[in-house]
Amino acid sequence: MSRDAIFAPALHRARRQRLLDELGDGVLLLPTAAETSRNGDVLNEFRPGSDFHYLTGFPEPAAVLVAWRTGRNAHTTWLFVRQRDKAREVWDGRRHGTAGAKRLFGADDAFPVEQLWQKLPLLLDGKPRLFHRLGGDAEFDRRLLDTFAANARRQRRRQPTLHPTITDPIPALAAQRLVKDGAELKALRMAAAISAEGHTVAMRATRPGCREFEVQAALEAEFRRRGSPRNGYPSIVASGANACVLHYHDNDRRMRAGDLLLIDAGAEFGGCTADITRTFPVAERFTPAQAAVYRVVLRAQLAGIRACAVGAPWDRAHKVCVRLLTQGLVDLGVLRGNVARLVKKEKYKPFYMHGTSHWLGRDVHDVGAYLDAAGEPRQLVAGAVLTVEPGLYFDPRDRRVPAIYRGIGVRIEDDVLVTAKGPVVLTAGVPKDVEAIERMRAEALRR
Ligand code: GLY
Ligand code: MN
Ligand code: MN
């Protein structure tokens, strides 16, 4: 896929215009993060803020977007960016500078970032509103308030003009990002396809006796090989009872033939990430107990995906999954009693303690409201993408659970695009039924 399909300046301009038309008159002020130190002069990996990158495509730290509407279908964009610096660029890499911000990223004008606080007072003069999310960076907010104070001081002998009202632009931006545009969908589909390939490679690479991080390396090597620069979140590679730790990150255990291996990992592409979980045996086959648990989760997941229809409440998948998982817990002999009553009393919670879905996009837990104006679960709309990820987790020390199930953790997670024609699974490229997984494991172990 060409870079231009995802990074065209016209695309970002159109996104800014949509947002500004929604917000109305005023100035949008949106900084991205600065680099942070890991230790000494070693920096943490930098990734631009998702909102900033969605609206600009600009990849460097310490930049600020300023934009204001000049009429319907017209606005002005200024980018404040780090200046070119020969010495720094020798050490840290090329910068686009102000010329690059204009030429490559479609800014109408661009300035060194140090000039933001000089230019801002003039820009805000006479503007009724400033669209800025307070609370992201205390130092930035302090300088903004200083700007207002300086303006007030300058004007104290004249009739003072009003400060602009500060309005949070993020709810409008989040609503816009919730419904993916064409370029975002291309990026997400690509992230999903790459992630599916990585999971398939990991499923083939796993051997009894190898460490979890060796499988992680194989998975992430495939992500990189296929064009993903980074993961959307730290990979969870959890064998045996580690699968019962939802955000397990040690990834250092040596796995054994009788274990299951749960991998929850997603590659980022074009600024968007996938989010896939698969659980499979380290040996060739599931044990009967593992297969029984796995089939309960898979049945719930398939039904959960079917529940992702336009107009359905977004949490219908969760309700469907909870009912089927609870039924499964009864069938497995973990719970006893009437399924509806067990659901009502949340008796499934010790074994299924997380939600089933979240929005997915640039961030793994992406932006977008979950409740409508009345406080009810919002309805699914075409173009939204969410995960469906039921699981069952049996703590190895939980004596309420029949011994054969203790230490088993299973999650199955796919990414679903909501369309008028029904749910589309973007991550269908990795096997998930018992027979297909066992075939793949048998083939892999024979090699
Ligand atoms: N990978 C985090 C999640 O599934 O929500
Ligand atoms: Mn997820
Ligand atoms: Mn996940």
Side-chain angles (χ1 to χ4, degrees):
M1 184 187 315
S2 84
R3 182 184 178 279
D4 289 351
I6 295 172
F7 287 109
L11 174 74
H12 297 96
R13 173 163 284 276
R15 287 178 183 158
R16 292 192 296 274
Q17 188 66 48
R18 260 189 70 197
L19 176 65
L20 293 167
D21 282 344
E22 177 68 27
L23 292 172
D25 288 335
V27 175
L28 173 67
L29 178 63
L30 186 70
T32 191
E35 286 173 304
T36 57
S37 162
R38 175 191 187 273
N39 60 274
D41 58 357
V42 178
L43 299 175
N44 285 312
E45 183 191 9
F46 174 77
R47 174 183 180 272
S50 296
D51 288 328
F52 179 86
H53 197 249
Y54 170 81
L55 289 175
T56 64
F58 193 73
E60 292 180 23
V64 181
L65 165 66
V66 178
W68 63 97
R69 195 168 171 262
T70 51
R72 243 201 118 61
N73 253 332
H75 73 270
T76 300
T77 297
W78 285 3
L79 277 174
F80 289 83
V81 302
R82 297 181 311 183
Q83 270 180 294
R84 301 290 310 269
D85 178 329
K86 265 201 179 131
R88 279 318 329 154
E89 288 181 53
V90 167
W91 287 91
D92 303 330
R94 253 181 79 84
R95 298 177 176 191
H96 287 103
T98 51
K102 285 193 276 192
R103 192 165 49 80
L104 298 172
F105 296 92
D108 298 306
D109 214 340
F111 306 94
V113 65
E114 297 76 21
Q115 291 183 16
L116 174 70
W117 303 109
Q118 286 152 249
K119 300 234 180 272
L120 202 57
L122 287 175
L123 262 179
L124 292 178
D125 195 31
K127 297 287 195 309
R129 284 186 298 168
L130 170 66
F131 303 112
H132 170 64
R133 170 104 159 171
L134 290 166
D137 175 345
E139 173 61 13
F140 189 92
D141 291 351
R142 190 189 59 72
R143 296 197 70 170
L144 183 62
L145 293 181
D146 284 351
T147 302
F148 288 168
N151 254 4
R153 272 198 302 278
R154 234 191 337 269
Q155 293 167 351
R156 81 185 152 211
R157 288 208 183 83
R158 297 182 268 135
Q159 177 68 24
T161 54
L162 291 175
H163 294 316
T165 306
I166 300 178
T167 303
D168 187 356
I170 298 304
L173 184 50
Q176 187 172 324
R177 277 179 51 193
L178 175 69
V179 181
K180 272 60 189 172
D181 60 29
E184 294 251 288
L185 273 181
K186 275 191 187 140
L188 262 172
R189 281 183 190 280
M190 196 69 183
I194 293 171
S195 301
E197 291 293 342
H199 275 264
T200 304
V201 163
M203 213 179 262
R204 290 209 177 100
T206 297
R207 298 279 182 283
C210 73
R211 306 274 286 260
E212 292 162 343
F213 54 55
E214 292 176 63
V215 176
Q216 178 183 358
L219 169 103
E220 294 178 3
E222 189 63 13
F223 287 178
R224 300 295 94 79
R225 207 173 71 72
R226 292 185 175 267
S228 157
R230 63 173 84 84
N231 292 16
Y233 55 93
S235 300
I236 297 165
V237 182
S239 63
N242 291 339
C244 300
V245 180
L246 299 178
H247 288 169
Y248 172 75
H249 286 142
D250 290 344
N251 294 3
D252 60 357
R253 179 176 172 271
R254 206 176 279 291
M255 42 197 127
R256 293 205 278 244
D259 295 337
L260 288 179
L261 179 61
L262 179 156
I263 302 181
D264 183 344
E268 189 177 285
F269 185 85
C272 292
T273 187
D275 182 8
I276 302 181
T277 307
R278 288 292 184 270
T279 310
F280 58 88
V282 171
E284 201 173 305
R285 317 211 34 193
F286 290 87
T287 66
Q290 290 167 347
V293 175
Y294 188 90
R295 287 201 161 97
V296 168
V297 177
L298 182 58
R299 202 175 314 131
Q301 205 241 6
L302 294 172
I305 291 170
R306 285 194 298 273
C308 296
V310 168
W314 78 274
D315 64 343
R316 183 173 288 166
H318 183 62
K319 292 202 169 121
V320 165
C321 284
V322 160
R323 189 168 40 76
L324 286 172
L325 292 174
T326 306
Q327 176 69 58
L329 288 166
V330 171
D331 297 343
L332 293 170
V334 176
L335 293 179
R336 234 171 294 156
N338 172 278
V339 170
R341 227 180 351 259
L342 291 168
V343 167
K344 196 150 180 242
K345 291 186 163 167
E346 300 188 335
K347 294 290 187 194
Y348 58 85
K349 277 225 164 140
F351 318 108
Y352 185 45
M353 59 298 277
H354 59 79
T356 300
S357 304
H358 52 80
W359 305 129
L360 184 72
R362 291 182 169 255
D363 301 318
V364 63
H365 296 165
D366 207 35
V367 292
Y370 288 98
L371 300 178
D372 63 18
E376 296 296 325
R378 64 171 295 155
Q379 293 182 352
L380 290 175
V381 290
V385 177
L386 73 168
T387 63
V388 179
E389 50 178 306
L392 285 177
Y393 311 91
F394 300 116
D395 187 288
R397 295 167 300 271
D398 190 340
R399 304 183 71 83
R400 291 169 299 186
V401 174
I404 48 166
Y405 300 129
R406 287 182 210 156
I408 292 179
V410 172
R411 177 163 68 254
I412 308 171
E413 174 173 30
D414 280 301
D415 305 339
V416 177
L417 167 66
V418 180
T419 81
K421 291 189 189 143
V424 175
V425 178
L426 302 179
T427 43
V430 213
K432 67 178 171 184
D433 49 80
V434 168
E435 294 69 27
I437 289 174
E438 289 187 339
R439 258 198 315 279
M440 187 174 275
R441 290 299 299 141
E443 252 175 57
L445 289 173
R446 241 178 272 128
R447 272 188 291 130

